[in-house]
Amino acid sequence: MELSVAMSGVVKRFGAVQALAGVDLELRPGEIHALLGENGAGKTTLMNVLYGMFSPDAGAISVGGREVNFRSPHDAIAAGVGMVHQHFKLVPTLTVAENMVLGQRGGPLLRRRELAAVSARLRALADRYGLDVDPDARVWQLSVGEQQRVEILRALYRDARILVLDEPTATLTPPETQRLFPKLRALAAEGASIVFITHHLEDVIEWADRITVLRRGERVGTLKPADSSAEDLARMMVGRDVRLMRVVAGEAPTAGEGRALRQRESAAPVLEVEGLQARGDRGTTALHDVSFSVAPGEILAIAGVEGNGQPELEEAVFGLRAPEAGTVTLDGRDVTRCEPAERMRLGMGLVPSDRYRRGLIRELSVAENLALDRLGRPPFGTELRLDRQAIAKHAADLIERFSIQVSGPEQLAGTLSGGNAQRLVLARTLSRELRCLVAAQPTRGLDVGAIEFVWEQLAAARDCGVAILLISTDLDEVMSMADRCCVMYRGGLVADWSRERLDREKVGLAMGGASNGGPPRAAAAAEGPV
Amino acid sequence: MSVSQAATRPLWLPPQSRRLRAGLSSLGAVLLSLVVGGVLVLIAGGEPVSAYGALIDGAFGSPYAIGQMLVLAVPLLIMGLGLALAFRGRVYNVGAEGQLFMGALAGGVVAIFLPVAFDPLLIAASIFAGMAAGAAWGGIVGVLRARWGVNEVITSLLLNFVAILIFTYCVRRPLRAPGSPDLQGRSIDPNAALPVLPDLAVHVGVFLAIALVPLAAYLMARTPFGMRVRMLGFNAEAARAAGVSSRRMVMALMLISGGLAGLAGVLQTLGVSERLDLGISQGYGFTAIVVALLGRLNATGVLLAAVFIAVLQSGGQAMSVTEGLPYAIVLAIPGVFVVFLLIADRLARG
């Protein structure tokens, strides 16, 4: 059988960094091929080379048996390669159909009649592959899952025979994920080759025909899911045994739980949120009557699919967004109107969901970033003088303790990889005296090694008596970490389960909006807002 | 391969160091704008080499010429420092002109009416009043931005006109010099006039201005405040999440940059015009924006930029007289310069 893509010995350097060190990859028609690897392993780089975004420094690529040399994605698209990026490249104010023809030379962008033809063809495509999307809807009105379908449709519209998806399940609900893959399977059945990049081992094992594992720019191996277990794959990815896999399976309780349990029974809650209501950036109600409390030494996980009010909850609790109603109480003190600085003084900490936007300042050094929240206080000097030496010493200490991979404390924080950036944020937050920690999507986009580290740190903080509010869209994370779990749906909390009553399927269903046996108060909240 | 590449790195490639690259691009922009200035001189029927000679001579030809140049540099430097600090925190105060006039008015009123015989005390009181008034005028902008999120570019710009009109009204009506028919404001108490250095004919405010340079450099680089300003400028969201109150910072930056503009206004009044005079600023508050940007929001850079602009402007006046060329050519050079600087920046960043 002829290969649809053959990449051999592909090398790509960025300055001094070798992102790909001679990688081979073969794609067959009709297969779903998973590309697995840690952050920075070179998965996305490899696919960007195939898509013509980067030209390789060495190596050969052939598509459909013909050697190619793409200068831009235009060439790649012409050769039948389509890519769905992790961050969608759609214009929100245009319709789905308009987005299809955007960027096509001589495209019939503004002509109504021809756009109608585009819509008709899209409908046909959408029907054929079960990618239900309204071609005349404006992109901003669509959910994340729908936008992804639009991206896939766009690739198909341009006659892609080779479809690359970068982290397609990162932002989808479990049910949406379960819907996506059969559609990809149907595509493959017609002879298309599909590559998807992922961290999710379960998706790989369940859906891939073959798996290629990359590590540090090299191919570790290509294998079939039947020949490998999740543990094998994880070991191949990180090059060592990872204890995490046990936790991912949702079986092993993390250490120290017994102690935490005893501690929490007698203690008064640290964080209490009552009737919180807030608007989102677009002025629509994003939080509706949200109430919960977190005891010392307890992790309350707020599960939920993205787009149900999580960023607003994170911001409102930490004082970055003014609520319209409701109260936030920290250790019995009403802090609803307090600035973040005041909450921090009272022992609140934040691991923000957007670590580059909120967690660190790219233009400052790692050392400066590690001291951002404690400038002007001993031992870092006074308001009249920054003690640079103390800052450097503090940084060296934290870099060691949190194993942050840096060339030195003076490295700019903007050059850190996702995992190291998160280590930096955690190091800064957890090295303060904490009473309560808001951790929002703390492992999003991280590789297994880093996820393990983050979870360990959160568990350790919990065992020290910190009350942790864990806002997460990752069901694995919720299942492994939660002492208690609520589900967020359309701005309200729809369930409240203790760890003993936590059931993966129930949580997954509630995340998708299938309201079920939650307590009456929470269930009522679910019906309230729209 | 990579080693030999590094060794034979072509000279025309931008250098690796960011600092060096920024310096070189500034220098390149200076040279290019001087070339364009030369072309303008040619178009105006002059001779570029002798014109630039006349310009240099006009700025440095005699102790008095140097003094005049320095007198011009003082307000540009003082305001440039304040604006550089504010711009670092992305607080775009373009109202230094108005803050200067409010400072001149308040400082002038104190220097006219305050019955204090002891000179240093009178001068100190006048300077304090001027800085306070400039800070207050800037503070209006700060409150509007911090409290209601009103864009400071618009409010500070428009408040310039309000301030200038208030000043104009005062020198026409309540504070007009007795018996003077035109726009002459009252003279200040002679005791409040700043001492002037012999030969150079520069008021002692120049020392104050120079002393502010290391102070500003220290504030920007070595204090928690300076760090918070940078945090705010780089990433306001992250700064807020790290406990920096952007409201307080915006207020502080408007008060400081406004206060320094007010100081410039007082020094012009006590050291240059010695009366309430609409002529104490030829748009210096706007030129100071150029100075701050040209100096790359860096204290030493602002010092160099202030002198550079002062040389162009004071030398340019001499040039236009001796060479018979329009002064507008000289005024064009800094404008051309900023355009080149922006281009060079883009190129340097690659």
Side-chain angles (χ1 to χ4, degrees):
Chain A
M1 186 165 48
E2 197 182 2
L3 294 172
S4 53
V5 170
M7 303 177 84
S8 63
V10 174
V11 174
K12 180 68 196 172
R13 278 185 221 93
F14 297 104
V17 181
Q18 177 139 327
L20 295 174
V23 176
D24 301 335
L25 180 72
E26 290 179 348
L27 298 182
R28 296 172 188 157
E31 77 167 338
I32 297 183
H33 197 116
L35 208 50
L36 192 65
E38 287 196 303
N39 282 100
K43 308 175 300 271
T44 304
T45 308
L46 185 67
M47 288 300 103
N48 276 330
V49 168
L50 177 60
Y51 190 53
M53 302 265 282
F54 303 142
S55 60
D57 294 322
I61 304 168
S62 59
V63 173
R66 225 159 32 86
E67 184 131 339
V68 292
N69 183 13
F70 297 146
R71 285 152 189 274
S72 75
H74 260 291
D75 297 348
I77 292 166
V81 179
M83 183 154 173
V84 177
H85 289 91
Q86 191 176 359
H87 304 288
F88 304 141
K89 303 201 183 298
L90 298 169
V91 179
T93 50
L94 296 183
T95 66
V96 172
E98 284 166 342
N99 266 287
M100 292 299 139
V101 291
L102 207 63
Q104 274 185 350
R105 284 169 197 163
L109 182 50
L110 290 170
R111 286 195 230 148
R112 194 173 283 270
R113 196 155 46 87
E114 295 182 53
L115 267 179
V118 172
S119 293
R121 197 172 145 217
L122 275 180
R123 273 205 185 85
L125 274 175
D127 282 351
R128 186 156 144 211
Y129 297 107
L131 296 161
D132 40 330
V133 171
D134 173 10
D136 300 320
R138 299 208 174 264
V139 167
W140 64 264
Q141 299 168 319
L142 303 179
S143 73
V144 177
E146 285 175 311
Q147 291 189 24
Q148 186 179 54
R149 293 202 282 277
V150 173
E151 284 275 12
I152 295 173
L153 266 181
R154 173 154 73 177
L156 297 178
Y157 180 84
R158 293 170 175 180
D159 298 320
R161 304 295 299 149
I162 298 140
L163 183 63
V164 180
L165 299 111
D166 192 354
E167 301 266 358
T169 60
T171 50
L172 297 185
T173 55
E176 274 181 318
T177 305
Q178 292 301 315
R179 262 197 315 231
L180 170 70
F181 280 107
K183 285 161 193 168
L184 296 180
R185 178 57 71 201
L187 270 173
E190 298 198 356
S193 301
I194 292 167
V195 185
F196 72 99
I197 297 174
T198 188
H199 297 304
H200 283 273
L201 296 166
E202 290 164 31
D203 296 346
V204 171
I205 289 171
E206 204 172 340
W207 294 103
D209 297 317
R210 289 195 302 156
I211 303 160
T212 292
V213 183
L214 295 184
R215 184 167 76 223
R216 291 187 185 163
E218 290 182 61
R219 192 181 70 152
V220 185
T222 298
L223 36 86
K224 292 202 164 101
D227 307 335
S228 56
S229 64
E231 288 81 4
D232 293 339
L233 289 171
R235 211 173 295 126
M236 283 173 80
M237 274 168 73
V238 299
R240 62 189 167 92
D241 285 307
V242 186
R243 199 171 48 76
L244 171 74
M245 296 320 304
R246 214 160 44 86
V247 191
V248 170
E251 297 149 7
T254 34
E257 192 166 335
R259 189 165 65 88
L261 265 174
R262 280 194 301 279
Q263 202 176 0
R264 125 169 56 103
E265 270 164 11
S266 55
V270 174
L271 177 69
E272 277 180 288
V273 169
E274 197 52 56
L276 202 62
Q277 187 159 330
R279 288 186 184 275
D281 290 334
R282 288 199 181 134
T284 51
T285 298
L287 293 181
H288 182 87
D289 192 23
V290 171
S291 304
F292 57 83
S293 68
V294 192
E298 177 182 58
I299 295 180
L300 171 65
I302 307 276
V305 183
E306 209 146 313
N308 281 291
Q310 290 94 334
E312 288 84 0
L313 178 64
E314 167 194 352
E315 289 162 3
V317 171
F318 197 66
L320 294 164
R321 178 179 295 272
E324 290 191 301
T327 55
V328 178
T329 313
L330 186 61
D331 276 326
R333 201 181 137 165
D334 186 348
V335 294
T336 316
R337 304 271 153 228
C338 294
E339 286 250 352
E342 177 69 6
R343 293 180 205 227
M344 287 164 73
R345 211 180 52 71
L346 294 169
M348 201 184 255
L350 173 70
V351 175
S353 52
D354 191 336
R355 60 188 77 103
Y356 288 106
R357 191 165 74 97
R358 248 192 205 134
L360 50 82
I361 296 183
R362 291 162 171 273
E363 295 87 346
L364 296 181
S365 72
V366 169
E368 288 169 325
N369 267 288
L370 284 167
L372 282 188
D373 57 351
R374 57 203 78 176
L375 300 170
R377 261 171 280 157
F380 301 99
T382 63
E383 275 302 326
L384 290 179
R385 198 180 73 87
L386 274 182
D387 189 339
R388 296 237 167 224
Q389 262 177 338
I391 289 173
K393 193 168 153 289
H394 168 76
D397 176 42
L398 288 184
I399 286 169
E400 160 96 32
R401 254 173 64 203
F402 286 80
S403 329
I404 308 172
Q405 305 290 313
V406 286
S407 58
E410 289 311 308
Q411 185 180 340
L412 292 187
T415 61
L416 293 178
S417 70
N420 277 314
Q422 192 69 332
R423 279 168 199 260
L424 188 159
V425 174
L426 278 172
R428 183 180 66 219
T429 310
L430 295 177
S431 60
R432 277 209 331 262
E433 282 288 318
L434 281 187
R435 290 287 299 149
C436 167
L437 177 68
V438 179
Q441 322 291 0
T443 58
R444 176 154 64 191
L446 301 188
D447 56 62
V448 263
I451 291 176
E452 177 188 30
F453 179 82
V454 172
W455 286 0
E456 275 174 6
Q457 293 298 326
L458 291 182
R462 184 257 320 267
D463 294 343
C464 292
V466 177
I468 298 180
L469 176 66
L470 173 67
I471 303 172
S472 178
T473 52
D474 180 345
L475 197 47
D476 289 332
E477 181 162 75
V478 170
M479 296 305 297
S480 340
M481 299 300 294
D483 294 317
R484 239 171 5 106
C485 171
C486 296
V487 175
M488 224 181 161
Y489 186 70
R490 296 203 173 157
L493 295 187
V494 292
D496 189 346
W497 291 294
S498 63
R499 175 156 195 99
E500 301 76 53
R501 293 183 46 220
L502 206 51
D503 176 277
R504 194 182 181 85
E505 210 153 292
K506 275 199 300 190
V507 178
L509 284 171
M511 284 167 75
S515 189
N516 53 4
R521 176 187 63 78
E527 290 154 19
V530 174
Chain B
M1 183 179 140
S2 62
V3 173
S4 69
Q5 236 177 5
T8 60
R9 195 181 158 73
L11 281 175
W12 49 265
L13 276 180
Q16 308 273 15
S17 144
R18 275 195 305 161
R19 202 170 267 225
L20 190 59
R21 224 161 40 192
L24 279 183
S25 67
S26 285
L27 196 67
V30 167
L31 293 177
L32 275 172
S33 57
L34 290 180
V35 169
V36 170
V39 171
L40 289 176
V41 169
L42 273 177
I43 291 170
E47 162 59 48
V49 176
S50 78
Y52 277 127
L55 188 146
I56 298 295
D57 197 49
F60 296 106
S62 66
Y64 181 76
I66 294 175
Q68 287 311 105
M69 184 272 286
L70 289 176
V71 164
L72 186 54
V74 167
L76 296 181
L77 174 56
I78 293 175
M79 287 191 285
L81 290 173
L83 294 185
L85 185 68
F87 292 173
R88 278 186 166 221
R90 292 194 187 229
V91 172
Y92 293 110
N93 175 10
V94 294
E97 184 80 355
Q99 292 143 19
L100 175 146
F101 274 109
M102 293 318 270
L105 182 62
V109 165
V110 168
I112 294 166
F113 296 110
L114 194 70
V116 177
F118 184 52
D119 302 358
L121 196 61
L122 183 55
I123 291 172
S126 169
I127 285 178
F128 179 80
M131 289 184 74
W137 204 246
I140 297 173
V141 176
V143 170
L144 289 172
R145 156 91 189 261
R147 193 76 193 77
W148 292 286
V150 184
N151 187 320
E152 78 277 12
V153 175
I154 294 166
T155 50
S156 64
L157 183 71
L158 294 179
L159 280 173
N160 281 330
F161 305 119
V162 178
I164 292 170
L165 289 170
I166 290 175
F167 192 88
T168 310
Y169 166 76
C170 288
V171 296
R172 275 196 179 162
R173 290 290 153 80
L175 297 172
R176 189 170 69 184
S180 130
D182 53 2
L183 274 175
Q184 293 236 331
R186 292 180 73 135
S187 294
I188 59 167
D189 183 335
N191 290 328
L194 292 178
V196 171
L197 300 179
D199 294 338
L200 287 173
V202 180
H203 61 83
V204 295
V206 72
F207 296 117
L208 185 57
I210 291 170
L212 282 174
V213 174
L215 204 67
Y218 181 85
L219 183 70
M220 287 174 184
R222 296 278 154 198
T223 64
F225 178 77
M227 178 73 116
R228 289 191 196 106
V229 172
R230 291 169 68 204
M231 288 165 67
L232 196 66
F234 288 140
N235 184 342
E237 285 279 343
R240 201 161 159 232
V244 174
S245 160
S246 67
R247 291 180 175 190
R248 266 190 238 169
M249 293 300 292
V250 167
M251 267 319 286
L253 291 175
M254 283 309 302
L255 290 175
I256 293 175
S257 56
L260 286 174
L263 172 63
V266 181
L267 293 182
Q268 289 296 95
T269 306
L270 303 187
V272 180
S273 66
E274 302 193 1
R275 62 167 67 243
L276 287 179
D277 181 0
L278 206 52
I280 55 168
S281 172
Q282 314 288 333
Y284 298 160
F286 298 108
T287 312
I289 297 170
V290 178
V291 168
L293 296 177
L294 206 55
R296 294 176 181 274
L297 313 188
N298 161 323
T300 322
V302 169
L303 173 64
L304 296 176
V307 171
F308 173 69
I309 299 278
V311 166
L312 276 184
Q313 296 206 343
S314 83
Q317 273 166 346
M319 180 190 86
S320 69
V321 174
T322 57
E323 298 282 305
L325 291 167
Y327 181 57
I329 290 178
V330 176
L331 292 181
I333 292 179
V336 172
F337 181 82
V338 171
V339 174
F340 276 124
L341 191 71
L342 294 175
I343 295 172
D345 261 9
R346 253 352 265 190
L347 292 178
R349 231 176 291 152

